[in-house]
Amino acid sequence: ECNNPWATPPETCDVYPNQKAGRYDNTVKIANVAGRTDVEGCCWWGRGVIQTTGVCNFGKLNYHLGKRAASEGREAVYPEIDFCKNPEVICSSPKYAELKWIA
């Protein structure tokens, strides 16, 4: 177990050199089975309380609430957030802490 927040100092799991899972690498575009490169390299595993997953669900968040809605002239609750480019924002935004509950 590497998550031990009560230890002194606290111990947590994190990305480490040569890690093979649990991280993402956006340095190289690689086509997925559908030939798309715009989503490859992103982590689409669950985030937030309801575990938002997949390119489609992150795309819907972006289309209805995020940057895409704003850029297409629709009212957007989070106009500066691109959920597709930064899906981790659901759990990491100090400005929009409520995202973990709605996404």
Side-chain angles (χ1 to χ4, degrees), residues 14-30:
D14 203 356
V15 175
Y16 53 88
N18 301 315
Q19 183 174 344
K20 300 296 182 194
R23 67 177 177 87
Y24 55 90
D25 179 359
N26 289 326
T27 60
V28 178
K29 289 186 177 186
I30 302 171

PDB file of all heavy atoms in Angstrom, residues 14-30:
ATOM      1  N   ASP A  14       2.180   8.144  -6.794  1.00  0.00           N
ATOM      2  CA  ASP A  14       2.347   9.207  -7.764  1.00  0.00           C
ATOM      3  C   ASP A  14       3.041   8.626  -8.993  1.00  0.00           C
ATOM      4  O   ASP A  14       3.519   7.497  -8.967  1.00  0.00           O
ATOM      5  CB  ASP A  14       3.184  10.341  -7.173  1.00  0.00           C
ATOM      6  CG  ASP A  14       2.938  11.667  -7.872  1.00  0.00           C
ATOM      7  OD1 ASP A  14       2.181  11.695  -8.858  1.00  0.00           O
ATOM      8  OD2 ASP A  14       3.503  12.671  -7.437  1.00  0.00           O
ATOM      9  N   VAL A  15       3.091   9.393 -10.046  1.00  0.00           N
ATOM     10  CA  VAL A  15       3.815   8.978 -11.234  1.00  0.00           C
ATOM     11  C   VAL A  15       5.296   8.905 -10.888  1.00  0.00           C
ATOM     12  O   VAL A  15       5.831   9.783 -10.221  1.00  0.00           O
ATOM     13  CB  VAL A  15       3.584   9.982 -12.389  1.00  0.00           C
ATOM     14  CG1 VAL A  15       4.418   9.621 -13.592  1.00  0.00           C
ATOM     15  CG2 VAL A  15       2.117  10.038 -12.747  1.00  0.00           C
ATOM     16  N   TYR A  16       5.944   7.859 -11.317  1.00  0.00           N
ATOM     17  CA  TYR A  16       7.359   7.702 -11.043  1.00  0.00           C
ATOM     18  C   TYR A  16       8.076   7.311 -12.332  1.00  0.00           C
ATOM     19  O   TYR A  16       7.436   6.875 -13.295  1.00  0.00           O
ATOM     20  CB  TYR A  16       7.602   6.655  -9.952  1.00  0.00           C
ATOM     21  CG  TYR A  16       6.945   5.316 -10.217  1.00  0.00           C
ATOM     22  CD1 TYR A  16       7.597   4.336 -10.955  1.00  0.00           C
ATOM     23  CD2 TYR A  16       5.676   5.045  -9.744  1.00  0.00           C
ATOM     24  CE1 TYR A  16       7.000   3.119 -11.217  1.00  0.00           C
ATOM     25  CE2 TYR A  16       5.074   3.824 -10.008  1.00  0.00           C
ATOM     26  CZ  TYR A  16       5.742   2.862 -10.733  1.00  0.00           C
ATOM     27  OH  TYR A  16       5.143   1.663 -10.991  1.00  0.00           O
ATOM     28  N   PRO A  17       9.389   7.464 -12.421  1.00  0.00           N
ATOM     29  CA  PRO A  17      10.130   7.168 -13.648  1.00  0.00           C
ATOM     30  C   PRO A  17       9.881   5.739 -14.126  1.00  0.00           C
ATOM     31  O   PRO A  17       9.823   4.807 -13.330  1.00  0.00           O
ATOM     32  CB  PRO A  17      11.601   7.356 -13.244  1.00  0.00           C
ATOM     33  CG  PRO A  17      11.555   8.288 -12.076  1.00  0.00           C
ATOM     34  CD  PRO A  17      10.281   7.968 -11.352  1.00  0.00           C
ATOM     35  N   ASN A  18       9.677   5.587 -15.442  1.00  0.00           N
ATOM     36  CA  ASN A  18       9.443   4.302 -16.115  1.00  0.00           C
ATOM     37  C   ASN A  18       8.145   3.623 -15.710  1.00  0.00           C
ATOM     38  O   ASN A  18       7.977   2.429 -15.909  1.00  0.00           O
ATOM     39  CB  ASN A  18      10.625   3.352 -15.891  1.00  0.00           C
ATOM     40  CG  ASN A  18      11.913   3.941 -16.403  1.00  0.00           C
ATOM     41  OD1 ASN A  18      11.944   4.486 -17.517  1.00  0.00           O
ATOM     42  ND2 ASN A  18      12.965   3.881 -15.622  1.00  0.00           N
ATOM     43  N   GLN A  19       7.205   4.370 -15.152  1.00  0.00           N
ATOM     44  CA  GLN A  19       5.913   3.797 -14.797  1.00  0.00           C
ATOM     45  C   GLN A  19       5.211   3.323 -16.069  1.00  0.00           C
ATOM     46  O   GLN A  19       5.228   3.995 -17.085  1.00  0.00           O
ATOM     47  CB  GLN A  19       5.063   4.852 -14.081  1.00  0.00           C
ATOM     48  CG  GLN A  19       3.733   4.329 -13.608  1.00  0.00           C
ATOM     49  CD  GLN A  19       2.997   5.361 -12.772  1.00  0.00           C
ATOM     50  OE1 GLN A  19       3.592   6.316 -12.309  1.00  0.00           O
ATOM     51  NE2 GLN A  19       1.725   5.160 -12.585  1.00  0.00           N
ATOM     52  N   LYS A  20       4.573   2.172 -16.029  1.00  0.00           N
ATOM     53  CA  LYS A  20       3.940   1.589 -17.212  1.00  0.00           C
ATOM     54  C   LYS A  20       2.434   1.756 -17.231  1.00  0.00           C
ATOM     55  O   LYS A  20       1.799   1.522 -18.234  1.00  0.00           O
ATOM     56  CB  LYS A  20       4.272   0.091 -17.303  1.00  0.00           C
ATOM     57  CG  LYS A  20       5.759  -0.192 -17.394  1.00  0.00           C
ATOM     58  CD  LYS A  20       6.347   0.367 -18.653  1.00  0.00           C
ATOM     59  CE  LYS A  20       7.826   0.023 -18.742  1.00  0.00           C
ATOM     60  NZ  LYS A  20       8.518   0.767 -19.740  1.00  0.00           N
ATOM     61  N   ALA A  21       1.796   2.100 -16.134  1.00  0.00           N
ATOM     62  CA  ALA A  21       0.344   2.249 -16.094  1.00  0.00           C
ATOM     63  C   ALA A  21      -0.020   3.398 -15.169  1.00  0.00           C
ATOM     64  O   ALA A  21       0.789   3.839 -14.356  1.00  0.00           O
ATOM     65  CB  ALA A  21      -0.304   0.961 -15.602  1.00  0.00           C
ATOM     66  N   GLY A  22      -1.264   3.886 -15.309  1.00  0.00           N
ATOM     67  CA  GLY A  22      -1.732   4.918 -14.417  1.00  0.00           C
ATOM     68  C   GLY A  22      -1.241   6.313 -14.736  1.00  0.00           C
ATOM     69  O   GLY A  22      -1.268   7.192 -13.907  1.00  0.00           O
ATOM     70  N   ARG A  23      -0.807   6.527 -15.957  1.00  0.00           N
ATOM     71  CA  ARG A  23      -0.380   7.860 -16.365  1.00  0.00           C
ATOM     72  C   ARG A  23      -0.714   8.034 -17.836  1.00  0.00           C
ATOM     73  O   ARG A  23      -1.155   7.107 -18.493  1.00  0.00           O
ATOM     74  CB  ARG A  23       1.111   8.053 -16.156  1.00  0.00           C
ATOM     75  CG  ARG A  23       1.958   7.185 -17.064  1.00  0.00           C
ATOM     76  CD  ARG A  23       3.435   7.468 -16.851  1.00  0.00           C
ATOM     77  NE  ARG A  23       4.232   6.606 -17.665  1.00  0.00           N
ATOM     78  CZ  ARG A  23       4.583   6.853 -18.926  1.00  0.00           C
ATOM     79  NH1 ARG A  23       4.198   7.948 -19.514  1.00  0.00           N
ATOM     80  NH2 ARG A  23       5.335   6.021 -19.596  1.00  0.00           N
ATOM     81  N   TYR A  24      -0.499   9.215 -18.363  1.00  0.00           N
ATOM     82  CA  TYR A  24      -0.707   9.419 -19.790  1.00  0.00           C
ATOM     83  C   TYR A  24       0.470  10.165 -20.377  1.00  0.00           C
ATOM     84  O   TYR A  24       1.198  10.853 -19.687  1.00  0.00           O
ATOM     85  CB  TYR A  24      -2.022  10.146 -20.070  1.00  0.00           C
ATOM     86  CG  TYR A  24      -2.195  11.458 -19.356  1.00  0.00           C
ATOM     87  CD1 TYR A  24      -1.759  12.639 -19.951  1.00  0.00           C
ATOM     88  CD2 TYR A  24      -2.795  11.516 -18.118  1.00  0.00           C
ATOM     89  CE1 TYR A  24      -1.939  13.850 -19.302  1.00  0.00           C
ATOM     90  CE2 TYR A  24      -2.965  12.715 -17.467  1.00  0.00           C
ATOM     91  CZ  TYR A  24      -2.541  13.878 -18.072  1.00  0.00           C
ATOM     92  OH  TYR A  24      -2.716  15.068 -17.437  1.00  0.00           O
ATOM     93  N   ASP A  25       0.620   9.970 -21.660  1.00  0.00           N
ATOM     94  CA  ASP A  25       1.741  10.570 -22.370  1.00  0.00           C
ATOM     95  C   ASP A  25       1.195  11.178 -23.658  1.00  0.00           C
ATOM     96  O   ASP A  25       0.758  10.457 -24.555  1.00  0.00           O
ATOM     97  CB  ASP A  25       2.782   9.494 -22.683  1.00  0.00           C
ATOM     98  CG  ASP A  25       3.980  10.051 -23.449  1.00  0.00           C
ATOM     99  OD1 ASP A  25       4.005  11.259 -23.753  1.00  0.00           O
ATOM    100  OD2 ASP A  25       4.879   9.255 -23.752  1.00  0.00           O
ATOM    101  N   ASN A  26       1.178  12.490 -23.750  1.00  0.00           N
ATOM    102  CA  ASN A  26       0.638  13.172 -24.928  1.00  0.00           C
ATOM    103  C   ASN A  26       1.729  13.641 -25.880  1.00  0.00           C
ATOM    104  O   ASN A  26       1.495  14.494 -26.717  1.00  0.00           O
ATOM    105  CB  ASN A  26      -0.200  14.375 -24.495  1.00  0.00           C
ATOM    106  CG  ASN A  26      -1.492  13.961 -23.850  1.00  0.00           C
ATOM    107  OD1 ASN A  26      -2.078  12.960 -24.226  1.00  0.00           O
ATOM    108  ND2 ASN A  26      -1.943  14.728 -22.879  1.00  0.00           N
ATOM    109  N   THR A  27       2.920  13.091 -25.771  1.00  0.00           N
ATOM    110  CA  THR A  27       4.013  13.570 -26.598  1.00  0.00           C
ATOM    111  C   THR A  27       3.980  13.026 -28.021  1.00  0.00           C
ATOM    112  O   THR A  27       4.560  13.618 -28.918  1.00  0.00           O
ATOM    113  CB  THR A  27       5.371  13.222 -25.965  1.00  0.00           C
ATOM    114  OG1 THR A  27       5.474  11.804 -25.840  1.00  0.00           O
ATOM    115  CG2 THR A  27       5.532  13.878 -24.608  1.00  0.00           C
ATOM    116  N   VAL A  28       3.317  11.904 -28.249  1.00  0.00           N
ATOM    117  CA  VAL A  28       3.264  11.298 -29.575  1.00  0.00           C
ATOM    118  C   VAL A  28       1.821  10.954 -29.929  1.00  0.00           C
ATOM    119  O   VAL A  28       1.112  10.349 -29.128  1.00  0.00           O
ATOM    120  CB  VAL A  28       4.106   9.991 -29.614  1.00  0.00           C
ATOM    121  CG1 VAL A  28       4.013   9.334 -30.980  1.00  0.00           C
ATOM    122  CG2 VAL A  28       5.544  10.285 -29.258  1.00  0.00           C
ATOM    123  N   LYS A  29       1.360  11.367 -31.116  1.00  0.00           N
ATOM    124  CA  LYS A  29       0.023  11.005 -31.563  1.00  0.00           C
ATOM    125  C   LYS A  29       0.063   9.620 -32.188  1.00  0.00           C
ATOM    126  O   LYS A  29       0.878   9.359 -33.074  1.00  0.00           O
ATOM    127  CB  LYS A  29      -0.505  12.012 -32.582  1.00  0.00           C
ATOM    128  CG  LYS A  29      -0.843  13.341 -31.989  1.00  0.00           C
ATOM    129  CD  LYS A  29      -1.491  14.224 -33.019  1.00  0.00           C
ATOM    130  CE  LYS A  29      -1.900  15.536 -32.397  1.00  0.00           C
ATOM    131  NZ  LYS A  29      -2.652  16.354 -33.334  1.00  0.00           N
ATOM    132  N   ILE A  30      -0.811   8.755 -31.738  1.00  0.00           N
ATOM    133  CA  ILE A  30      -0.918   7.402 -32.273  1.00  0.00           C
ATOM    134  C   ILE A  30      -2.381   7.159 -32.576  1.00  0.00           C
ATOM    135  O   ILE A  30      -3.243   7.365 -31.721  1.00  0.00           O
ATOM    136  CB  ILE A  30      -0.407   6.356 -31.258  1.00  0.00           C
ATOM    137  CG1 ILE A  30       1.042   6.658 -30.899  1.00  0.00           C
ATOM    138  CG2 ILE A  30      -0.573   4.947 -31.794  1.00  0.00           C
ATOM    139  CD1 ILE A  30       1.581   5.844 -29.767  1.00  0.00           C
TER     140      ILE A  30
END
